[in-house]
Amino acid sequence: MYEILAREDFSEVTFLLEVHYPLLARAARPGQFVIVMLHADGERIPLTIADYSVERGSFTLVVQAVGKTTNEMQQNCQVGSRLYAVVGPMGIPSHIGELNKVICVGGGLGVAPVYPQARALKERGAYVIGIVGFRNKDLIFWQEKFENVCDELIICTDDGSAGLKGLVTDGIKRAVDQHQDIDEVVAIGPPVMMKFCAEATRPHGIKTVVSLNPIMVDGTGMCGGCRVAVGGEMKFCCVDGPEFDAHQVDFDDLMNRLARFRPEEKQAYERWAQSDNCRLVQEEPNIH
Amino acid sequence: MAKKTIRNIPQERTAIATQGSKERIGNFNEVTLGYSLEDTLIEAERCLMCPQEPCVPGCPVSIDIPGFIQKICDQDFRGAYDVLAESTLLPAICGRVCPQEDQCEGVCVVARHLEPVAIGRLERYVGDMAITEGWVSEPEIEPNEHKIAIVGAGPAGIACAADMAKAGCDVTIFEALHRPGGVLTYGIPEFRLPNPVIDAEFNKVLELGVKVECNTLVGRLFTIDQLRNEMGFDAVFIGTGAGYPSFMGIPGESLNGVLSANEFLTRCNLMQAGEFPSKDTPLGLGRKVVVIGAGNTAMDAMRVSLRLGADEVHCLYRRTSAESPARVEELHHAKEEGVMFQWLTAPLEILGDEENNVRGLRCIRMELGEPDTSGRRRPVPITNSEFEFKCATVIYAIGTNANPIIGQTSKLKLNKWGYIETDDEQCSSLAGVFAGGDIVTGSATVILAMGAGRRAAQSMKKYLGINDPVDMEVSDPNQRRIFGIDARQKRFARVRLPEQDRVA
């Protein structure tokens, strides 16, 4: 269990891990997440499930190396190695209703986790419009996977090196202009992206669902660290979410709370980057 | 020996050594050091061996208290441990964290005239000795066909698991966190309950053949229904606790620097955030800490804050020390260590700076009015008494609510607060599913949860048709001795040789 079966590096910072865990593969539903520990002294980090396969007895994570733990994962999680702990699936699964036409938006880290939703909606017979955003052409991944489950796929790049030049919100604008009968938008990505997706759909009154990613410890409702403000009420993302009505979410509050440990995160990363455990230092090119 | 009377027993309760308050706030070592052998023997003599034995029903797990104290008097410590082990596999833990003053010691006959017998300290002495000496209770277990699932490796689940394993069942505990122990592990700090003590006593449960699966979130990885119908478990016990922390709903609660005592303690105890950055989990504790609430959890949070180097730690409580729900000993220790108590004070708003960090609290002074439904005098705000209080960290220790996961994922009947409904025998609304501890009663104590776990085990045995002739006497002190033999000793089928043979 928890063994890494496959790994794929999408870019210098983004990588995919396929993890062996048959029981979890059976239980997982779109919208859910896991908590991972790298080692006994590690922190518990929440990661949204990007895919799962009962046949392969595995689930997939797409991780971006941003801090100490995710950089350590990038370095150490090679095929054949094992994660120290995986717990999940956590959170309330997405409500995959009888919808006619849906937009699934993924940006940055959110591209992977929106995939299972697109697939599930397609399986329910919905017309699925996928909108995925990347910085440039080289960072694009899973295009074919998305094409297989989307009736239309709009790729957005910041620099226009592929697809539509612009942000995913530009993609939403295009899709909404072309289709007057959109039932729902699902948007997953960085908080600021989700905030602007919510603003893009609000004037049209299209129901919009986002998946939030606050700081968590246990992920079982016990610590309250993941509390988010939704419709003026406090909710615990881990057990009341992670998906909420985007038009009710206070994204500024979420972004403020995500900055809670910024000094500690920086300290931990720098300490690790300078330590013997980090091959960023050790693997400097040999001059001889 | 002459019959013991209130006049001829040692009159003073034997004092217990503690680490000095100045010294101890610089470390996480245990505060209360425990009795020496001599202390133990003197204190044991204070038990009158009264025929009423009010302490036994006073104990939520019905330990034969005079029985184990008599063994101490006989200097048969192994025997004392065996008596304890009939009712609890966690004497070193319970001796430390039980509120004995409200239980066994609260009803002790000696307490009518003198300080009660220090039952908890005696229990701890024997429990500690069992750990040091590596004693194991070796009940002769007759395996049966029944498979039992326990949800949650906290006190309730551990107690239920131990009883079911002794009854011969194949028991598996499922735990959501990466370490077992529940509140013992994530909640109670090292200086009150050292981790090696938890590990040692938990190992005794494993030695009974109980299996533990950590990192398993029941309800989400599989449901209670799947446990019963697909995975072949004949009965399930749910002891998932009440850890869903409460906040007050005042402005400023989402500021950085505001956290629940559960989060604070979980970071410190389970994740060892005090050792950041050599451990990965951060804490971000401010120099000046305010804890809202004055229960045992509040005391733990404050005393941990002091040990992690906070300059000032304040306790804010809207009533007075007399109404504080904390144990007297905890309150006393917190005071000794330098916690400053702001009684009759309630927070109105948490104030933040431009970077969204806590910079203080706006508070109001209270006075006590008429008694409310709980019988405690209700705090009433004093008009025009608002003031600001500078601090960098605010920790909420005002209680918890029911954890929603099992409710979200099963058809179990819940009450209006979300706790699982059970009858007096811990049976839930689903056949074969039992529940106990905080998830039924709301926040209570370790030992009450253990009591519920044991009651659930009784019901489970009844439900499964497991004959346990011993147990009918447990709740009836008059029937406990049959032909001069403690009926409960039958639970341990170990052959007991007569004294003289044993010596030979």
Side-chain angles (χ1 to χ4, degrees):
Chain A
M1 234 163 40
Y2 315 154
E3 187 189 343
I4 293 165
L5 301 178
R7 169 178 171 139
E8 194 178 336
D9 286 79
F10 294 137
S11 74
E12 272 179 21
V13 289
T14 311
F15 56 99
L16 171 152
L17 300 175
E18 185 189 356
V19 184
H20 182 239
Y21 194 168
L23 210 50
L24 191 138
R26 265 185 44 188
R29 296 289 176 270
Q32 292 188 301
F33 64 97
V34 291
I35 284 198
V36 170
M37 279 179 86
L38 274 198
H39 45 74
D41 293 339
E43 57 183 337
R44 296 169 65 95
I45 59 163
L47 295 166
T48 308
I49 298 169
D51 200 1
Y52 47 88
S53 160
V54 178
E55 296 77 49
R56 292 179 57 85
S58 69
F59 72 98
T60 302
L61 299 171
V62 175
V63 187
Q64 223 168 43
V66 285
K68 189 246 177 183
T69 299
T70 44
N71 269 286
E72 212 178 353
M73 270 179 106
Q74 189 189 33
Q75 177 182 292
N76 297 341
C77 292
Q78 304 299 340
V79 173
S81 69
R82 248 168 240 278
L83 297 169
Y84 174 76
V86 176
V87 57
M90 294 171 140
I92 300 173
S94 313
H95 177 71
I96 307 290
E98 301 279 356
L99 301 168
N100 292 320
K101 200 173 269 187
V102 193
I103 302 180
C104 292
V105 187
L109 263 187
V111 171
V114 87
Y115 169 75
Q117 307 228 23
R119 182 177 61 184
L121 286 159
K122 185 71 207 165
E123 281 166 4
R124 289 290 295 260
Y127 184 91
V128 179
I129 303 164
I131 301 175
V132 286
F134 300 94
R135 271 212 316 280
N136 60 50
K137 184 170 173 271
D138 297 336
L139 301 177
I140 295 173
F141 64 88
W142 281 14
Q143 182 171 349
E144 206 187 312
K145 270 182 100 148
F146 272 96
E147 279 168 353
N148 287 338
V149 299
C150 293
D151 296 278
E152 286 176 42
L153 180 65
I154 305 173
I155 291 177
C156 307
T157 52
D158 295 3
D159 61 357
S161 52
L164 180 70
K165 180 176 191 295
L167 303 170
V168 290
T169 42
D170 299 310
I172 293 176
K173 196 166 173 299
R174 176 189 280 189
V176 171
D177 286 346
Q178 286 173 357
H179 301 270
Q180 266 74 58
D181 53 347
I182 300 208
D183 296 312
E184 190 174 310
V185 174
V186 180
I188 309 181
V192 68
M193 181 208 100
M194 294 191 284
K195 178 182 173 175
F196 285 106
C197 289
E199 292 319 313
T201 59
R202 198 190 300 271
H204 302 281
I206 304 169
K207 186 185 171 199
T208 303
V209 176
V210 286
S211 174
L212 305 186
N213 56 342
I215 294 169
M216 290 185 188
V217 185
D218 59 289
T220 65
M222 203 180 75
C223 82
C226 66
R227 57 193 190 277
V228 288
V230 182
E233 270 183 65
M234 179 193 291
K235 299 278 183 192
F236 288 3
C237 189
C238 65
V239 290
D240 301 324
E243 295 190 350
F244 295 98
D245 177 351
H247 297 145
Q248 301 287 319
V249 171
D250 183 342
F251 288 100
D252 295 331
D253 182 80
L254 174 67
M255 287 185 271
N256 281 331
R257 290 188 55 74
L258 281 167
R260 176 177 168 198
F261 291 116
R262 201 140 287 165
E264 287 84 0
E265 284 162 5
K266 187 164 176 271
Q267 183 191 357
Y269 175 72
E270 282 169 2
R271 184 174 178 275
W272 175 77
Q274 287 157 16
S275 72
D276 296 342
N277 295 327
C278 174
R279 288 196 294 267
L280 290 177
V281 183
Q282 292 174 340
E283 286 183 356
E284 270 173 6
N286 198 327
I287 306 166
H288 298 292
Chain B
M1 195 185 105
K3 188 180 179 307
K4 287 199 266 185
T5 68
I6 198 75
R7 293 217 176 79
N8 68 11
I9 60 169
Q11 299 289 291
E12 298 283 326
R13 183 174 159 114
T14 315
I16 194 159
T18 56
Q19 240 199 107
S21 57
K22 286 276 182 301
E23 180 195 346
R24 72 186 185 233
I25 62 168
N27 64 53
F28 273 86
N29 299 339
E30 222 177 344
V31 168
T32 309
L33 299 174
Y35 276 165
S36 65
L37 171 63
E38 198 188 351
D39 294 337
T40 304
L41 293 173
I42 294 171
E43 188 60 26
E45 284 305 325
R46 296 184 71 235
C47 177
L48 294 170
M49 301 295 155
C50 62
Q52 308 92 307
E53 303 184 348
C55 51
V56 180
C59 171
V61 297
S62 312
I63 293 175
D64 176 8
I65 292 167
F68 97 84
I69 296 182
Q70 183 60 57
K71 297 281 184 191
I72 296 178
C73 294
D74 300 343
Q75 300 205 31
D76 173 11
F77 293 103
R78 171 74 220 219
Y81 176 69
D82 287 339
V83 174
L84 284 172
E86 286 167 24
S87 307
T88 172
L89 283 178
L90 315 178
I93 294 174
C94 294
R96 285 170 168 84
V97 302
C98 269
Q100 290 96 2
E101 64 271 27
D102 299 327
Q103 297 172 354
C104 53
E105 294 179 15
V107 292
C108 175
V109 166
V110 174
R112 291 178 199 166
H113 305 279
L114 306 168
E115 284 275 293
V117 178
I119 299 167
R121 295 169 184 177
L122 295 175
E123 182 188 18
R124 171 179 165 179
Y125 183 84
V126 176
D128 285 355
M129 185 177 254
I131 293 173
T132 324
E133 301 289 325
W135 291 334
V136 246
S137 64
E138 288 167 341
E140 191 174 287
I141 294 172
E142 241 178 77
N144 59 38
E145 298 294 298
H146 300 295
K147 258 178 85 180
I148 309 295
I150 308 274
V151 185
I158 293 173
C160 186
D163 278 5
M164 294 315 289
K166 285 181 191 169
C169 301
D170 176 3
V171 183
T172 309
I173 306 183
F174 297 102
E175 166 60 44
L177 293 175
H178 57 282
R179 281 185 55 198
V183 72
L184 306 172
T185 303
Y186 75 76
I188 302 176
E190 278 274 283
F191 56 84
R192 278 218 291 137
L193 182 60
N195 284 336
V197 173
I198 305 172
D199 293 344
E201 296 210 321
F202 190 73
N203 279 337
K204 293 195 201 298
V205 180
L206 301 183
E207 280 158 11
L208 294 172
V210 173
K211 288 165 280 187
V212 187
E213 303 271 2
C214 286
N215 301 311
T216 305
L217 184 61
V218 175
R220 293 288 173 206
L221 189 61
F222 39 76
T223 60
I224 301 289
D225 192 52
Q226 284 176 302
L227 277 171
R228 290 276 284 121
N229 298 320
E230 290 172 26
M231 297 166 71
F233 286 96
D234 302 302
V236 178
F237 173 76
I238 303 171
T240 49
Y244 187 95
S246 301
F247 290 82
M248 292 173 73
I250 60 173
E253 284 179 350
S254 64
L255 289 167
N256 294 326
V258 182
L259 68 169
S260 71
N262 264 8
E263 178 176 359
F264 176 78
L265 292 171
T266 302
R267 284 182 182 274
C268 297
N269 298 335
L270 180 72
M271 307 307 296
Q272 297 159 290
E275 294 174 45
F276 177 87
S278 60
K279 306 278 163 103
D280 287 346
T281 303
L283 181 61
L285 187 71
R287 311 299 304 173
K288 192 166 167 181
V289 178
V290 169
V291 176
I292 300 171
N296 290 320
T297 307
M299 301 303 139
D300 285 345
M302 295 187 285
R303 298 173 68 197
V304 170
S305 301
L306 284 168
R307 283 162 177 76
L308 292 179
D311 293 335
E312 268 182 43
V313 178
H314 295 262
C315 173
L316 231 68
Y317 187 51
R318 59 197 182 121
R319 306 177 198 246
T320 71
S321 64
E323 289 83 23
S324 150
R327 290 182 68 192
V328 177
E329 186 185 342
E330 299 307 318
L331 206 57
H332 171 74
H333 281 150
K335 267 184 207 159
E336 269 188 348
E337 291 172 10
V339 168
M340 286 174 264
F341 288 88
Q342 313 296 330
W343 303 116
L344 292 166
T345 307
L348 296 173
E349 182 185 359
I350 305 168
L351 308 166
D353 63 17
E354 57 286 350
E355 287 180 319
N356 235 48
N357 295 316
V358 173
R359 68 171 169 85
L361 278 168
R362 195 161 59 80
C363 304
I364 189 162
R365 296 284 183 205
M366 312 291 275
E367 59 188 349
L368 291 182
E370 295 300 309
D372 62 13
T373 45
S374 72
R376 297 184 297 180
R377 291 178 64 192
R378 194 151 54 116
V380 189
I382 301 173
T383 42
N384 296 326
S385 67
E386 291 182 24
F387 65 101
E388 279 191 17
F389 195 92
K390 270 192 193 161
C391 63
T393 299
V394 175
I395 299 173
Y396 275 84
I398 55 169
T400 55
N401 298 308
N403 189 301
I405 294 176
I406 295 292
Q408 285 168 349
T409 56
S410 74
K411 296 190 182 72
L412 278 171
K413 200 169 163 203
L414 310 178
N415 69 16
K416 62 176 172 175
W417 298 283
Y419 296 107
I420 297 174
E421 261 192 25
T422 66
D423 62 14
D424 292 343
E425 296 184 323
Q426 313 297 138
C427 302
S428 77
S429 60
L430 298 178
V433 180
F434 304 79
D438 285 3
I439 193 59
V440 172
T441 58
S443 304
T445 60
V446 168
I447 191 68
L448 285 172
M450 287 181 62
R454 296 203 71 203
R455 262 197 316 283
Q458 291 306 317
S459 305
M460 250 186 206
K461 289 182 216 170
K462 211 191 283 175
Y463 171 79
L464 297 169
I466 299 172
N467 286 325
D468 201 357
V470 161
D471 295 310
M472 45 193 150
E473 287 94 2
V474 167
S475 56
D476 185 353
N478 298 322
Q479 294 220 346
R480 279 183 29 251
R481 285 172 208 279
I482 298 171
F483 306 117
I485 301 164
D486 187 334
R488 281 176 295 174
Q489 290 196 1
K490 279 195 244 155
R491 181 178 301 183
F492 295 82
R494 187 188 306 114
V495 180
R496 287 180 189 275
L497 301 170
E499 282 305 319
Q500 56 267 47
D501 292 0
R502 221 193 279 181
V503 174

